[in-house]
């Protein structure tokens, strides 16, 4: 028997509560009269989404509820959900007026919604597509949205969605093919010609550009077929599905020279005047567009920037090696090929030579070398002269990782800002790029604190050393091995008996010592909110001293970061010790410098530390929180259920990434909310600093055994 629908009176009561009519003065009688005629399931669905939208804006929820019955006649539940989420995302990024337009334009969204049902969306594929493109050789490229697909050599611009094929997975493959073909523009030199040479190749500049793209697509296809054969086969399948598999069949015979792998963009340029008299053929589905003028402008700026950064890096290296020696006394820098690649497309691996010695090249400098090679094919001699003090505009030396016209504005466009989503439990969806986070350094603290703490807990440290020694593991003898350092007597006797009885003699008659290799990375996130002021801060710092003294025994990689902040636009984490840093005086001074600051917005720091741990190669990864209590912020809604649910979602994301989160707190009320966030077995409440390192050893034993 079907569930009976709600009466108009009950619907009106629920809407009054959802829309807070006592304060908003909205009238719900008309809406209730419309919803009463719907089946019970649709009534509940409409009220559920009205409640979720109201968590963003009451007026927006009212407009949704007013159109809910009409929407249900022309859209399914999934499309209505997408409509509401789109309106809420628009509110976050652009404000109330554009969001109201989005919720009112039901017909317009429905038309797009049919496309979106089977489409691949850029915001959903970017987290997969971005790392894939980064894994290809050449310059690191970012992905941004634009109406057309093209690249300026630093950014791959892709459309908001693709819906040319029947389902989301196939459309994702099309995204991937387009992105790879645009990457090929940067990798195989398509962008390294003056656009005026292209546009002036025939009477019609537009036709010249179209033919240039045709010729380059033919040339790049040949390179992709050789270097990425599996992906190229996928591209061919996409062509056949979309009916453009024979796009190159009508090209003049002389264009065949471009399929020679030794051809270059200059070969395309030479052919251009001879063949651009007629209309060009249509391009394959994976070929994006071109904007050679913008790409050339970006290249010119990049060359200036890369030269400045490379010469500045040599200046830093020269200062490290020779201090303030006069310029005429500095040895010359040079680059030489480590081994000339057999493939002409491969970038030669270069070694930095100083005073006839090979010098290690830092990773960021190696990336600069790669970028310069892609633009110029080689490193010019004038690049190898260290920059003079103040020779370049400081803006050239900054990392322009953020668009200065981004929605946030203010100082958080500086180098080092990160943007993170935040989970809104009311709307059951993420707020996109909602939090701005920066990594900051600490001013060195009391130089004597570390030593005093070691002396204060000298006996405990000695005991902890013994505890952690046990965790390190010992060599184990493996028996019945096919090879090894010694004979396994028992196995040998059995094998001999088998042979004498006519059976085949086993080869597993050796013993071998095996040492268990630890492969663990742990990141400690330390609460530096204002509520830790006093003995709690002292306890945290002392606990960290005991921890790092103990962790030195294990030899595991570990990092320590503090976290605090002030609202969503000022989330801050503080570098105390990175994974690569040794335990030196700087780290000891950073531990001493930990002090209470602002509030405890935990979701963004957890997502940031998850991202950091994902980049660490380790079999086991731990994220251990040291905190005095639950999350809090100056925007009061984060103090309650909203903050708990965002933190819980961030921890869930960490677990999906293969990271084990654990919380150690001194909040005696932690048992009320920590099981919900961390799980019942992944937190502990302590009241004594001396117990902390022992508890960490228990965590290690539990997770790594």
């Amino acid at each position: 028997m079907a569930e009976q629908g709600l009466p108009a009176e009950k619907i009106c009561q629920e809407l009054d509560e959802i829309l807070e009519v006592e304060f908003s003065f909205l009238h719900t009688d008309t809406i209730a009269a419309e919803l009463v005629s719907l089946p019970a399931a649709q009534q509940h669905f409409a009220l559920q989404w009205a409640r979720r939208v109201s968590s963003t804006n009451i007026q927006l929820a009212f407009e949704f509820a007013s159109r809910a019955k009409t929407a249900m006649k022309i859209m399914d539940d999934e499309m209505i959900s997408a409509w509401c989420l789109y309106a809420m995302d628009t509110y976050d990024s652009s404000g109330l007026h554009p969001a109201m337009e989005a919720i009112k334009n039901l017909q317009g969204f429905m038309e797009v919604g049919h496309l979106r049902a089977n489409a691949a969306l850029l915001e959903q594929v970017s987290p997969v597509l971005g790392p894939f493109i980064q894994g290809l050789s050449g310059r690191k490229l970012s992905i941004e949205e634009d109406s057309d697909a093209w690249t300026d050599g630093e950014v791959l611009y892709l459309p908001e969605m693709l819906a040319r094929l029947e389902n989301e997975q196939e459309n994702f493959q099309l995204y991937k093919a387009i992105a790879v073909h645009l990457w090929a523009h940067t990798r195989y030199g398509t962008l390294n010609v003056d656009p005026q040479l292209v546009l002036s190749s025939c009477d019609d500049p537009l036709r010249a550009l179209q033919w240039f793209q045709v010729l380059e697509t033919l040339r790049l296809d040949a390179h992709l077929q050789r270097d990425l054969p599996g992906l190229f086969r996928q591209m061919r399948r996409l062509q056949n599905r979309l009916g453009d598999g024979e796009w190159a069949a009508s090209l003049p015979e002389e264009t065949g020279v471009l399929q020679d792998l030794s051809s270059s963009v200059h070969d395309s340029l030479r052919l251009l005047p001879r063949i651009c008299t007629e209309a060009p053929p249509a391009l394959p589905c994976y070929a994006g567009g071109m904007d050679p003028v913008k790409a050339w402008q970006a290249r010119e700026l990049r060359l200036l920037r890369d030269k400045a950064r490379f010469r500045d890096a040599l200046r830093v290296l020269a200062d490290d090696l020779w201090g303030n020696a006069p310029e005429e006394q500095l040895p010359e820098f040079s680059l030489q090929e480590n081994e000339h690649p057999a493939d002409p497309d491969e970038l030669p691996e270069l070694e930095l030579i100083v005073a006839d010695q090979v010098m290690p090249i830092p990773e960021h400098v190696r990336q600069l070398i790669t970028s310069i090679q892609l633009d110029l094919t080689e490193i010019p001699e004038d690049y190898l002269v260290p920059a003079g003090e103040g020779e370049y505009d400081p803006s050239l030396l900054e990392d322009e990782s953020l668009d200065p016209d981004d929605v946030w504005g203010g100082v958080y466009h500086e180098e080092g800002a990160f943007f993170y989503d935040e989970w809104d439990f009311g709307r059951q969806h993420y707020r996109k790029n909602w939090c701005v986070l920066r990594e900051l350094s600490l001013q060195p603290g009391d130089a004597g604190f570390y030593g005093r703490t070691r002396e204060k807990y000298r006996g405990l440290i000695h005991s902890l050393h013994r505890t952690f020694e046990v965790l390190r593991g010992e060599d184990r003898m493996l028996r019945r091995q096919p090879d090894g350092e010694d004979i396994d007597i028992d196995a040998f006797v059995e094998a001999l008996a088998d042979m004498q009885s006519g059976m085949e003699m086993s080869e597993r008659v050796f013993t071998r010592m095996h040492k268990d290799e630890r492969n663990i990375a742990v990141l400690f996130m330390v609460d530096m909110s204002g509520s830790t002021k006093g003995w709690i801060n002292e306890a945290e710092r002392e606990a960290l001293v005991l921890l790092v003294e103990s962790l030195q025994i294990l030899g595991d990689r570990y990092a320590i970061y503090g976290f605090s902040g002030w609202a969503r636009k000022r989330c801050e984490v503080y570098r105390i010790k990175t994974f690569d840093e040794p335990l030196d005086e700087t780290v000891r001074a950073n531990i001493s410098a930990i002090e209470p600051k602002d509030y405890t917005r935990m979701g963004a720091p957890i997502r940031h530390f998850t991202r950091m741990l994902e980049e660490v190669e380790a079999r086991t990864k731990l994220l251990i929180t040291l905190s005095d209590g639950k999350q809090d912020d100056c925007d009061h809604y984060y103090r309650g259920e909203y903050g708990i649910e965002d933190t819980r979602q961030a921890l869930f994301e960490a677990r999906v990434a293969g990271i084990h989160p654990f919380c150690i707190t001194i909040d005696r009320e932690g048992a009320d909310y920590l099981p919900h966030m961390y799980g019942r077995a992944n937190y502990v409440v302590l009241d004594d600093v001396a117990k902390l390192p022992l508890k960490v050893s228990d965590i290690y034993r539990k997770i790594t055994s």
Side-chain angles (χ1 to χ4, degrees), residues 200-424:
S200 62
S201 295
C202 63
D203 296 337
D204 184 347
L206 177 59
R207 193 193 308 155
L209 177 59
Q210 292 171 337
W211 267 109
F212 178 69
Q213 189 174 357
V214 167
L215 297 176
E216 278 299 281
T217 299
L218 186 65
R219 186 177 72 87
L220 297 179
D221 278 0
H223 289 282
L224 291 173
Q225 185 173 12
R226 177 198 58 188
D227 295 339
L228 299 170
L231 181 61
F232 189 74
R233 285 194 293 272
Q234 289 183 356
M235 294 164 71
R236 284 287 189 232
R237 284 195 289 271
L238 290 170
Q239 283 182 267
N240 293 331
R241 288 290 310 278
L242 293 170
D244 55 17
E246 303 300 324
W247 75 276
S250 61
L251 293 179
E253 185 177 344
E254 55 192 318
T255 61
V257 68
L258 298 177
Q259 295 181 297
D260 188 324
L261 294 174
S262 63
S263 63
S264 73
V265 65
H266 300 289
D267 293 303
S268 296
L269 201 58
R270 280 191 289 271
L271 282 171
L272 197 52
R274 302 206 296 268
I275 64 171
C276 70
T277 54
E278 299 180 5
L283 287 165
C285 56
Y286 51 76
M290 282 187 181
D291 192 329
V293 175
K294 286 185 179 178
W296 188 256
Q297 290 171 347
R299 179 181 182 272
E300 294 290 286
L301 179 58
R302 182 171 60 249
L303 284 172
L304 186 62
R305 187 176 65 238
D306 286 352
K307 181 178 181 180
R309 292 179 180 177
F310 183 65
R311 292 187 60 206
D312 188 64
L314 295 184
R315 178 188 63 80
V316 172
L317 183 57
D319 288 347
D320 289 343
L321 295 174
W322 292 281
N324 296 321
E327 186 174 339
E328 60 272 10
Q329 294 182 15
L330 296 178
E332 293 184 355
F333 288 84
S334 62
L335 290 167
Q336 71 176 23
E337 291 184 9
N338 183 18
E339 182 179 347
H340 190 73
D343 180 358
D345 273 335
E346 283 296 316
L347 299 176
E349 185 176 336
L350 302 178
E351 293 179 334
L352 182 63
I353 309 297
V354 188
D356 297 326
Q357 298 292 320
V358 177
M359 302 297 294
I361 302 178
E363 181 58 29
H364 73 282
V365 178
R366 192 170 293 283
Q367 290 175 12
L368 284 174
I369 291 174
T370 298
S371 181
I372 297 166
Q373 286 177 302
L374 288 173
D375 285 330
L376 299 176
T377 70
E378 61 182 6
I379 311 297
E381 289 187 8
D382 59 328
Y383 279 52
L384 293 166
V385 180
E389 195 70 43
E391 183 173 340
Y392 287 104
D393 181 343
S395 64
L396 290 174
L397 305 178
E398 295 174 358
D399 183 5
E400 299 171 346
S401 58
L402 291 170
D403 179 356
D405 296 322
D406 193 272
V407 64
W408 297 119
V411 298
Y412 280 84
H413 290 288
E414 298 171 9
E415 176 186 0
F418 298 87
F419 294 82
Y420 289 102
D421 296 347
E422 186 169 89
W423 179 255
D424 185 332

Side-chain angles (χ1 to χ4, degrees), residues 407-573:
V407 64
W408 297 119
V411 298
Y412 280 84
H413 290 288
E414 298 171 9
E415 176 186 0
F418 298 87
F419 294 82
Y420 289 102
D421 296 347
E422 186 169 89
W423 179 255
D424 185 332
F425 83 104
R427 68 167 67 169
Q428 289 293 296
H429 195 63
Y430 288 100
R431 291 178 178 264
K432 304 293 176 54
N433 292 329
W434 193 243
C435 294
V436 187
L437 180 144
R438 284 178 56 80
E439 284 189 21
L440 304 174
S441 300
L442 289 172
Q443 293 297 320
D446 177 6
F449 173 82
Y450 195 96
R452 291 195 302 272
T453 304
R454 285 191 60 183
E455 183 63 26
K456 178 180 177 181
Y457 294 100
R458 182 172 52 186
L460 178 58
I461 289 175
H462 185 67
S463 173
L464 288 170
H465 281 186
R466 292 198 302 271
T467 302
F468 277 75
E469 280 280 4
V470 174
L471 291 178
R472 221 172 28 173
E474 298 178 352
D475 291 350
R476 293 188 295 118
M477 179 177 289
L478 302 180
R479 299 184 178 277
R480 301 181 184 276
Q481 299 297 303
D483 55 70
E485 300 93 2
D486 208 345
I487 299 293
D488 185 339
I489 298 299
D490 292 340
F492 181 76
V493 170
E494 290 180 16
L496 194 60
D498 289 343
M499 184 185 70
Q500 290 175 346
S501 64
M503 298 172 64
E504 184 177 354
M505 181 174 177
S506 172
E507 297 179 351
R508 295 181 170 274
V509 294
F510 296 94
T511 62
R512 176 162 53 87
M513 297 301 293
H514 174 72
K515 184 175 181 64
D516 286 330
E517 292 292 334
R518 299 183 61 81
N519 189 9
I520 299 172
V522 57
L523 192 151
F524 294 94
M525 53 179 289
V526 182
D527 185 355
M528 290 174 58
S529 62
S531 60
T532 63
K533 187 175 183 179
W535 73 271
I536 299 174
N537 176 253
E538 186 79 2
E540 284 183 337
R541 294 190 297 154
E542 289 183 346
L544 286 173
V545 172
L546 300 180
L547 275 172
V548 298
E549 286 292 318
S550 303
L551 288 170
Q552 293 300 109
I553 300 295
L554 290 176
D556 291 342
R557 285 169 293 171
Y558 67 97
I560 306 171
Y561 284 80
F563 69 96
S564 183
W566 188 295
R568 67 185 180 93
K569 293 189 183 180
R570 217 188 84 184
C571 302
E572 295 168 344
V573 298

Side-chain angles (χ1 to χ4, degrees), residues 57-90:
N57 183 270
I58 296 293
Q59 191 64 43
L60 200 61
F62 177 78
E63 294 296 335
F64 160 73
S66 301
R67 291 163 176 76
K69 182 176 180 179
T70 303
M72 289 180 181
K73 290 180 179 178
I74 59 177
M75 295 194 294
D76 59 22
D77 290 356
E78 187 175 345
M79 192 177 293
I80 292 173
S81 302
W83 173 49
C84 293
L85 291 172
Y86 174 70
M88 289 188 284
D89 287 344
T90 302

Side-chain angles (χ1 to χ4, degrees), residues 1-22:
M1 183 176 176
E3 182 184 352
Q4 188 170 354
L6 298 173
E9 205 172 279
K10 179 63 175 173
I11 295 173
C12 209
Q13 288 176 0
E14 289 210 30
L15 286 172
D16 287 352
E17 177 197 345
I18 292 169
L19 301 175
E20 300 178 8
V21 297
E22 291 184 20

